[in-house]
Amino acid sequence: MRTAGTSGVTRTVVGHLEDGTEVVVRRSRRRTRTVSAFLERGQFVVAIPDRLTEGQEREWVRTMTERAATATRARRSDERLERRAEELARTVLRISERPTAVSWVDNQHKRWGSCTQQTGQIRISRDLAEMPAHVLDAVLVHELAHLREYSHGPAFQDLVQRYPRMDEAMAFLDGVSWQRQHG
């Protein structure tokens, strides 16, 4: 199914990822050179220049979906952490986007978490494992919100503020960060 937008953008559903996520091609006259792929509102979007042929489109879709599948397999998810993230996405944020993987990492000491929107992967600093549950939940909510909103703009802030203990958790983390810096 191809739908044309008013801004010179067309969207075509071309298939599904292994997990059932719909794959959509977004052609744009404004995009001239680059091809990108990202999760958006529960779909895997491959954004391409409008001038590409159908054969080039198929090749880019194949390349980008393979990259996403490889990245997902490369970072195995922690089942308990992933279940908690999915519950928070559903009940607190009320968004359809779901992470492809949620894992503990040992190499993040200045960040509490990170999210790669293109692959849907969320990484959580293992330093949070011993902190109160509401603090971990706040970081998960923050990273989950990035599945929908890339920047920290107003739409993102509206999402994260749905978590009732966000301000309390951020104050706690600010205190931990201060203590680390000032011993």
Side-chain angles (χ1 to χ4, degrees), residues 130-148:
E130 300 301 319
M131 294 189 190
H134 75 279
V135 174
L136 172 60
D137 283 355
V139 173
L140 284 168
V141 165
H142 180 103
E143 300 310 330
L144 287 163
H146 280 306
L147 294 176
R148 176 165 291 181

Side-chain angles (χ1 to χ4, degrees), residues 17-121:
L17 297 177
E18 293 171 358
D19 67 358
T21 301
E22 198 170 57
V23 177
V24 174
V25 171
R26 181 184 298 160
R27 287 177 168 268
S28 172
R29 286 185 223 136
R30 292 179 62 197
R31 181 178 288 270
T32 58
R33 296 178 192 210
T34 62
V35 174
S36 64
F38 47 89
L39 288 173
E40 179 181 82
R41 302 192 189 287
Q43 295 178 319
F44 183 77
V45 178
V46 180
I48 63 172
D50 190 48
R51 64 175 172 70
L52 294 186
T53 67
E54 286 185 26
Q56 289 171 316
E57 174 185 307
R58 280 190 303 276
E59 185 60 27
W60 274 112
V61 167
R62 185 189 62 73
T63 298
M64 296 309 236
T65 56
E66 282 178 4
R67 284 182 190 172
T70 299
T72 299
R73 284 189 296 271
R75 188 170 296 276
R76 293 177 49 182
S77 200
D78 178 278
E79 288 182 32
R80 192 167 144 241
L81 205 52
E82 187 171 352
R83 276 195 309 276
R84 184 63 184 148
E86 288 178 358
E87 180 181 348
L88 290 165
R90 187 181 70 255
T91 61
V92 174
L93 293 176
R94 298 180 304 281
I95 60 174
S96 60
E97 292 83 357
R98 297 294 184 264
T100 57
V102 184
S103 55
W104 295 108
V105 293
D106 296 315
N107 62 348
Q108 285 185 167
H109 300 291
K110 294 188 185 218
R111 289 185 187 190
W112 300 113
S114 62
C115 174
T116 304
Q117 191 179 41
Q118 293 86 349
T119 64
Q121 293 181 347

